[in-house]
Amino acid sequence: MSVDSITLEEFEAVQNRGSSPESEPTFGEVVQQRLGRRNILRGLLGTAAIAAFGPAVPLPDGIADAAAQAAPAAGKAGKDGFSFVFEEIARGVDDHHHVAAGHDADVLLRWGEPLFADSPEFDPYKQTADSQLKQFGYNNDFTAFMPLPLGSSSADHGLLWVNHEYTIAELMFPGLVPEGQDRYAPEAITKEMAEIEMAAHGGSIVEIKRGKDGKWAYVRGSKYNRRISALKTAMNITGPAAGHARMKTKADPEGRTVIGMMNNCAGGMTPWGTVLSGEENVDGYFMGKIDQTHPEQRNYDRMTIPSPFYQWGRFDERFDVNKAPYEANRFGWIVEIDPYDPTSTPRKLTALGRFKHEGAGVHLNKDGHVIVYMGDDQKFEHVYRFVSKGKFNPADRKANMKLLEEGTLSVARFDADGSVTWLPLVHGQGPLTAANGFKDQGDVLISARLAATHLGATRMDRPEDIEVNPKTGRVYVMLTNNDDRAKADPIHPVQAQVNPANPRPANSWGHIVEMLPPGDDHTASTYKWEILLKAGNPADPKTGASFNAATTANGWFACPDNCAFDSMGRLWVGTDQGNKWQWTSGDADGIWAVETEGPLRGTARMFFRVPIGAEMTGPSFNPDDSALFLSVQHPGADGVEKVTKSGGRATFADPGTRWPDFKPTLPPRPSVVVVSRKGGGPIGV
Ligand code: FEO
Ligand code: CA
Ligand code: CA
């Protein structure tokens, strides 16, 4: 039987639907609930499960003292006192990328770029897994510039870390989609294709240099260049869940090593020169069906595992939950990688919890504890904070490498009085006991989402990147969107409720929440919070958007996703509207400069935009802000039916654009772009 392949849009619709209930039942209630759930699924209860929606909770009043505490961002003031100096570009959508006048935006690394002396040149018609393992991977996301040598502040020479989040078979493999169609049959994916996909996942470490002409180039054959993949790279499992019974498999009876990482979305950089990379939508790699009586069933349901977007399980039983019921517990972690040592083994950090990790916003607290802020990107999921047990020692890199293996993970509850309370995910505290299915700390971390719900964590509108302003110490949470609060869901009928930190019932545009640690202490158990802005077109009252009135018609955006602070403490926000861009704005994603202080707080201006069908990911700066690295992910792919020749979805033969090569025989290639100011100097100054 030939079944149409699941499209990316369909996969996203399924796995973004949300699986977080309002509260977690005790084990004693689970059997009864399962019976009820089956009945609901069979339609036996019909419309009986209708939510009794409570009244919307009003927004907290502005926290007046918050703005007064903050130091103004450094840098000279530009037009109208805006702290960024550039002429805003016009919104729109076309085949090309665009950057503000006075800047260059050059393509630095493309999918398939040969990284080693013996790498084959990119040829999508002859691609093999071996070739892909020696080439730049697909769908680049998070980037991080690591100066060379280690410990220097070199702004011209360094290593670029790049995440390769996922692959799109119909844009990678010529002939996979039959002519005149826009989908492929799953059985058309061969073992070789699946292995190419695994090889194109993971990350790249690439030495890069700025020449005398001011242009950046990568160093082919550098001793530092490395590909981390889902196919070959062995990783160590560290922290409280290492060696746990639920981490053991036939191939790894010790539960301490795993091959590969996947769906690495955003990430972070540590003060000791390592990279943190977040495994996000790991559910899409698993097929098969786990029995409803299997002990992992609740955990897997909450992670929407399996959601078979990929066919890997046909060729490697690790990705079939029937055959390897614990393999999926070994994915969904933050991975720490040392780019300065090409022989180092990446480590999965179980102390930071298992969920659909977006990024890892690292902050060195004033007392030396290392803080990591993390978003779990699915509708109704949560915001997390990790505080290391030990303290950073600038003279002991080896000891610092252990700092993220032990500490306290907490989850945020945002209250109507403007406070955030951090609820610790510690075994034995509160409801995190054996009676609720948590026999030890490993259980708490492997099933972090279930633990967070037991603790009463706030259900958010898809938390993506979280970053700390280096000048003010305030923390910024990108909430990308969630239009499901307004819908009655028969499985989770109460999820329609809004809450103070997520106030819009049909939030298609996202918002940005600001968290304020008291006295700049990021270990405090309570912070304050407020909303910096609600995204969407402020000229359309239906959106409920709230930008500063100084924002122009080009300056508003939808669906904040990744963000970065430059060293002056100025916020740059990237967007991902997904396949709904024609409804959320009608214009391409991009980078916007956002004022966080003073009378222009909440003003945004458009700086860069991506070609049609792409998503803007991975913004990061070099140490003197003279280079801004950006990831243009899946160009020509998302929501391009209006521009393909067939009027259907993008395929290898018929994509939405052939950016950046524009050769009729080449497909679009996800690429890293580097932005520089003409004549040099910091971006946007
Ligand atoms: Fe991979 Fe949440 O974006
Ligand atoms: Ca993202
Ligand atoms: Ca996103």
Side-chain angles (χ1 to χ4, degrees):
M1 186 181 70
S2 175
V3 181
D4 276 349
S5 58
I6 178 171
T7 65
L8 189 58
E9 293 91 322
E10 288 159 352
F11 170 65
E12 285 177 346
V14 170
Q15 64 84 230
N16 276 335
R17 186 179 56 84
S19 54
S20 151
E22 184 76 6
S23 62
E24 269 299 318
T26 62
F27 257 21
E29 293 164 334
V30 166
V31 173
Q32 193 59 39
Q33 190 199 49
R34 274 188 202 164
L35 181 66
R37 180 167 174 238
R38 282 190 199 135
N39 286 343
I40 290 169
L41 290 170
R42 288 177 191 143
L44 295 181
L45 295 184
T47 54
I50 290 173
F53 301 136
V57 185
L59 267 174
D61 292 336
I63 302 165
D65 61 334
Q69 282 170 12
K76 74 180 180 191
K79 195 177 174 185
D80 312 327
F82 197 56
S83 68
F84 303 79
V85 185
F86 64 84
E87 285 298 322
E88 183 167 44
I89 64 170
R91 61 190 318 123
V93 60
D94 61 32
D95 266 346
H96 295 269
H97 63 278
H98 300 265
V99 68
H103 296 80
D104 290 317
D106 302 317
V107 177
L108 177 63
L109 284 159
R110 302 159 204 238
W111 166 47
E113 206 92 68
L115 299 183
F116 307 97
D118 64 347
S119 301
E121 296 298 320
F122 176 63
D123 182 348
Y125 299 89
K126 292 184 184 161
Q127 188 64 314
T128 66
D130 283 344
S131 299
Q132 181 63 78
L133 284 171
K134 294 177 176 176
Q135 297 168 338
F136 195 63
Y138 202 80
N139 271 345
N140 36 274
D141 199 301
F142 174 69
T143 68
F145 179 88
M146 328 283 291
L148 277 173
L150 169 65
S152 75
S153 55
S154 168
D156 298 322
H157 184 202
L159 302 176
L160 193 69
W161 167 268
V162 185
N163 278 0
H164 298 299
E165 187 180 19
Y166 70 105
T167 50
I168 306 175
E170 62 269 36
L171 284 170
M172 293 173 71
F173 302 122
L176 175 65
V177 176
E179 213 177 313
Q181 297 181 31
D182 68 353
R183 291 174 181 233
Y184 61 90
E187 57 266 38
I189 296 284
T190 62
K191 183 167 189 277
E192 181 69 8
M193 288 177 189
E195 290 185 351
I196 291 169
E197 290 186 299
M198 292 182 209
H201 276 69
S204 290
I205 299 160
V206 190
E207 183 179 345
I208 60 171
K209 272 182 179 169
R210 181 158 49 194
K212 288 198 172 63
D213 60 357
K215 294 293 182 189
W216 289 87
Y218 79 96
V219 181
R220 181 173 175 173
S222 159
K223 66 176 182 184
Y224 293 106
N225 288 2
R226 185 176 181 189
R227 275 302 322 281
I228 308 278
S229 74
L231 182 63
K232 293 272 189 193
T233 311
M235 310 204 168
N236 291 334
I237 297 167
T238 71
H244 195 277
R246 296 169 63 195
M247 300 289 276
K248 293 178 178 173
T249 64
K250 212 170 10 173
D252 174 28
E254 298 294 313
R256 291 181 187 276
T257 57
V258 58
I259 301 295
M261 61 181 199
M262 53 216 192
N263 217 269
N264 292 74
C265 190
M269 215 168 33
T270 67
W272 51 95
T274 61
V275 163
L276 304 182
S277 179
E279 294 184 303
E280 194 189 22
N281 297 314
V282 297
D283 51 332
Y285 301 86
F286 293 91
M287 51 173 49
K289 197 166 175 2
I290 198 153
D291 192 277
Q292 289 284 304
T293 60
H294 193 282
E296 290 301 323
Q297 180 265 331
R298 285 172 75 207
N299 170 35
Y300 283 12
D301 271 5
R302 181 63 183 271
M303 287 286 283
T304 59
I305 292 170
S307 301
F309 176 65
Y310 290 96
Q311 293 292 306
W312 302 1
R314 282 173 40 221
F315 311 108
D316 184 343
E317 68 176 35
R318 292 202 294 147
F319 301 111
D320 183 329
V321 293
N322 286 72
K323 294 174 183 157
Y326 293 101
E327 186 70 20
N329 281 342
R330 295 140 62 81
F331 295 89
W333 302 102
I334 294 286
V335 185
E336 183 172 4
I337 299 134
D338 180 2
Y340 291 98
D341 177 2
T343 66
S344 61
T345 304
R347 292 171 300 126
K348 297 204 175 184
L349 304 173
T350 67
L352 277 64
R354 175 173 169 273
F355 40 90
K356 293 184 182 176
H357 282 282
E358 175 75 19
V362 181
H363 179 72
L364 185 57
N365 201 45
K366 56 187 182 182
D367 63 2
H369 288 291
V370 180
I371 314 296
V372 187
Y373 291 102
M374 298 172 286
D376 180 355
D377 179 12
Q378 191 161 351
K379 290 173 180 173
F380 304 104
E381 291 300 336
H382 310 302
V383 166
Y384 294 83
R385 179 190 72 176
F386 174 82
V387 179
S388 67
K389 182 175 181 215
K391 293 183 178 180
F392 175 67
N393 177 354
D396 194 346
R397 187 169 191 248
K398 203 171 158 206
N400 294 333
M401 295 273 194
K402 297 273 178 200
L403 281 174
L404 303 182
E405 294 182 6
E406 199 178 354
T408 304
L409 179 69
S410 303
V411 66
R413 191 188 69 217
F414 293 83
D415 286 319
D417 65 357
S419 65
V420 189
T421 300
W422 292 104
L423 310 162
L425 276 77
V426 175
H427 175 255
Q429 289 189 14
L432 304 184
T433 60
N436 285 321
F438 304 100
K439 291 194 296 294
D440 51 35
Q441 185 63 11
D443 280 336
V444 170
L445 295 167
I446 294 168
S447 302
R449 285 182 164 186
L450 296 174
T453 297
H454 274 291
L455 292 168
T458 299
R459 303 163 79 234
M460 310 294 287
D461 288 349
R462 294 186 56 198
E464 301 241 31
D465 247 356
I466 305 176
E467 295 287 340
V468 181
N469 184 328
K471 289 290 180 194
T472 67
R474 295 180 182 194
V475 189
Y476 292 81
V477 184
M478 305 296 118
L479 296 153
T480 201
N481 59 51
N482 178 359
D483 55 7
D484 273 354
R485 287 187 191 275
K487 292 176 192 163
D489 176 334
I491 296 175
H492 310 115
V494 293
Q495 73 181 17
Q497 290 174 341
V498 296
N499 59 54
N502 301 273
R504 286 187 285 184
N507 180 9
S508 298
W509 312 276
H511 56 294
I512 300 177
V513 164
E514 183 183 55
M515 299 193 290
L516 302 88
D520 197 30
D521 179 7
H522 293 251
T523 67
S525 56
T526 307
Y527 295 5
K528 288 181 174 178
W529 70 271
E530 58 182 295
I531 289 177
L532 173 66
L533 61 84
K534 286 181 272 178
N537 184 356
D540 177 357
K542 281 199 305 293
T543 66
S546 66
F547 284 90
N548 187 300
T551 304
T552 74
N554 292 311
W556 65 269
F557 57 78
C559 308
D561 185 334
N562 292 155
C563 65
F565 280 95
D566 59 28
S567 57
M568 290 171 268
R570 303 180 308 172
L571 176 63
W572 303 77
V573 173
T575 61
D576 169 22
Q577 300 163 97
N579 63 348
K580 292 181 183 164
W581 60 268
Q582 294 183 40
W583 289 270
T584 45
S585 76
D587 298 312
D589 283 318
I591 292 281
W592 278 261
V594 179
E595 199 75 72
T596 57
E597 313 296 337
L600 289 175
R601 175 177 156 88
T603 306
R605 285 182 187 159
M606 191 177 192
F607 179 73
F608 178 89
R609 73 176 210 235
V610 294
I612 188 167
E615 158 185 355
M616 182 83 272
T617 62
S620 71
F621 288 90
N622 67 342
D624 67 2
D625 303 327
S626 61
L628 167 59
F629 301 98
L630 301 172
S631 273
V632 175
Q633 196 184 79
H634 61 70
D638 254 358
V640 295
E641 288 81 354
K642 280 188 183 162
V643 300
T644 54
K645 293 188 195 81
S646 70
R649 296 175 184 83
T651 66
F652 185 96
D654 186 14
T657 174
R658 294 186 186 278
W659 186 93
D661 301 297
F662 298 106
K663 289 187 179 152
T665 54
L666 284 183
R669 296 166 77 183
S671 301
V672 172
V673 165
V674 56
V675 176
S676 314
R677 209 170 87 198
K678 288 183 193 297
I683 309 293
V685 172

